[in-house]
Amino acid sequence: MGEKRLKAEKLLLLSVKIAVGASLAIYIAEYLRLENAASAGIITLLSVLTTKWGTLKLSLLRIATFLATVAGCWLIFQYVHGDWIGFGVFLFFMVILCELTGLRNTLSVNAVIATHILTARDFSVDFFLNEFFLVLIGVVSAFLLNLFQGNRSHKKAIIENMRYTEQQLQEILERLADYLEGKDTGGSIWTDIIRLEDKLKNFIDQAYEYQNNTWHFHPVYYIDYFEMREKQYTVLHNLHYEIKKIRTMPKQAAVVADYIRYLKKYVIEMNDPKEQIKRLHDILEEMEKTSLPASWEEFEGKAKVYHIMMDLEEFLIYKKRFVESLDEKKLRIYWNKTLSH
């Protein structure tokens, strides 16, 4: 699924949830004959703009900070004359409290409740219960609406992003191999690397969003996957820089280019790189048996080629660590495998 289509689907779903949720919250508040019923819709609006886990956490925090809001209004509005002064004093202390406790996202609803109390100047239990039910209706409506997420489309897009990332890494490796052999790389490798960096950041954000919109913990697999690929990207970034510094390609460069072409076939999701690491070590052993360089320039070139192999090993180790981090549940769900004992 294209990125634009996914964004359009998410926007459409969000619009529907906000419209339905806010309207439903106002209807319930009016049915219960609560004062300031429209505010229940505003509270729903402010709470829908998060993920499932975010909505649940935010809902609980808003209910908890409601008590602090009521206490603050009761202490301030009874003794500070002038609506604008009282509201300013309330906001001054509430902002400090929210910032110190990391609860800035609860401030908007607290301010809405404070304006109701300020306008009514009613400090009775019944009025405070009225405000509590407005908050409760708003956050519960948002929570229920946020149970509906386009996770199927989101998961499909994430898997497509995984295939795209693998394809880009393979293409970059192929062009690095061409460069080692002195061939035309057909454009700027640097541009491709930078483009992939920007994409990976977006893919990681999407993986976090998907994780936070499910009730399971195993989708963290996608986060770990893209973070692993981001580390591999960094290796290729450094690898390209090392290759660019080689002034005269030594004869070992052709061996490294062949290995890179062999390696690129295994830049896929379901591959344990043990064999690729073993083959790399075998090549390094063969390099150590070759004769000593006859000149400083040859020595420098051979050292840089050796360093390239070390970068490729690091590239593989990141994948190896990712595979080793997979527990039995993730292997069963994502790789259709079980741990061997």
Side-chain angles (χ1 to χ4, degrees):
M1 178 180 294
E3 189 173 333
K4 290 183 178 179
R5 183 179 172 185
L6 179 63
K7 287 183 178 179
E9 284 192 5
K10 288 165 66 176
L11 176 59
L12 179 61
L13 181 60
L14 177 63
S15 301
V16 170
K17 287 193 294 185
I18 289 176
V20 173
S23 300
L24 182 62
I26 294 173
Y27 172 78
I28 294 172
E30 288 181 343
Y31 180 79
L32 296 175
R33 297 184 179 180
L34 299 177
E35 295 184 42
N36 305 304
S39 294
I42 299 299
I43 294 170
T44 300
L45 162 66
L46 294 171
S47 302
V48 166
L49 299 173
T50 55
T51 60
K52 281 184 182 179
W53 281 107
T55 301
L56 178 60
K57 179 182 178 181
L58 185 58
S59 298
L60 296 175
L61 289 174
R62 280 181 171 160
I63 291 172
T65 55
F66 170 81
L67 300 175
T69 300
V70 169
C73 290
W74 183 79
L75 287 171
I76 295 170
F77 295 162
Q78 286 194 97
Y79 301 104
V80 176
H81 299 289
D83 291 349
W84 63 275
I85 297 177
F87 191 66
V89 173
F90 166 79
L91 283 180
F92 174 79
F93 288 108
M94 184 55 66
V95 168
I96 291 177
L97 176 64
C98 289
E99 289 294 325
L100 290 177
T101 56
L103 302 177
R104 180 190 292 184
N105 51 3
T106 67
L107 183 60
S108 55
V109 171
N110 292 331
V112 170
I113 299 304
T115 57
H116 295 169
I117 299 174
L118 178 67
T119 302
R121 291 285 179 173
D122 186 346
F123 301 100
S124 65
V125 174
D126 288 341
F127 187 79
F128 287 149
L129 284 174
N130 179 92
E131 299 302 299
F132 173 76
F133 284 124
L134 288 178
V135 174
L136 185 63
I137 291 169
V139 297
V140 169
S141 297
F143 175 75
L144 293 176
L145 265 296
N146 260 356
L147 292 177
F148 299 95
Q149 298 286 344
N151 283 345
R152 183 174 298 179
S153 298
H154 200 166
K155 181 179 179 180
K156 182 180 178 182
I158 285 176
I159 293 173
E160 289 179 359
N161 293 340
M162 293 166 73
R163 301 292 86 83
Y164 171 85
T165 300
E166 291 160 5
Q167 180 187 9
Q168 291 299 303
L169 290 174
Q170 290 171 5
E171 289 181 5
I172 291 172
L173 284 168
E174 176 66 28
R175 294 175 71 182
L176 289 174
D178 287 343
Y179 192 90
L180 282 169
E181 292 180 336
K183 297 178 181 178
D184 182 14
T185 57
S188 172
I189 302 177
W190 184 261
T191 302
D192 292 342
I193 291 175
I194 296 300
R195 186 186 302 117
L196 180 58
E197 178 186 24
D198 295 336
K199 290 282 188 180
L200 279 171
K201 290 177 180 177
N202 183 42
F203 294 164
I204 291 172
D205 290 341
Q206 289 186 27
Y208 271 102
E209 182 182 347
Y210 178 77
Q211 165 68 28
N212 290 328
N213 273 324
T214 68
W215 297 123
H216 305 289
F217 292 101
H218 60 75
V220 74
Y221 169 88
Y222 295 120
I223 299 173
D224 294 340
Y225 173 87
F226 284 116
E227 288 182 343
M228 176 269 295
R229 293 302 187 196
E230 187 179 41
K231 292 173 183 175
Q232 288 188 319
Y233 150 81
T234 303
V235 173
L236 292 188
H237 182 282
N238 296 333
L239 188 61
H240 176 246
Y241 182 70
E242 289 295 328
I243 292 175
K244 291 284 286 184
K245 289 193 298 183
I246 300 177
R247 287 174 289 183
T248 303
M249 290 293 176
K251 60 182 180 180
Q252 293 89 351
V255 177
V256 177
D258 287 340
Y259 177 77
I260 290 176
R261 289 198 175 92
Y262 155 78
L263 170 63
K264 78 165 193 175
K265 297 181 294 185
Y266 297 96
V267 182
I268 55 177
E269 178 185 0
M270 299 177 192
N271 175 64
D272 188 336
K274 291 179 181 177
E275 287 298 320
Q276 289 74 58
I277 293 174
K278 180 180 181 301
R279 184 160 174 172
L280 184 144
H281 289 164
D282 291 341
I283 293 173
L284 287 175
E285 288 180 7
E286 289 299 319
M287 283 185 177
E288 290 175 357
K289 295 177 183 177
T290 58
S291 58
L292 294 173
S295 65
W296 170 254
E297 190 174 72
E298 186 180 342
F299 172 80
E300 185 182 35
K302 186 175 180 180
K304 290 188 184 301
V305 167
Y306 190 84
H307 195 278
I308 289 170
M309 294 298 284
M310 293 295 97
D311 284 342
L312 291 172
E313 182 181 33
E314 186 180 11
F315 181 89
L316 291 168
I317 286 174
Y318 283 130
K319 180 62 184 297
K320 180 173 178 285
R321 289 173 181 168
F322 169 75
V323 175
E324 291 173 346
S325 71
L326 301 177
D327 56 29
E328 189 167 357
K329 187 172 186 178
K330 291 177 185 175
L331 280 172
R332 185 179 69 252
I333 293 173
Y334 299 100
W335 285 34
N336 196 28
K337 291 183 180 180
T338 56
L339 287 172
S340 57
H341 298 283

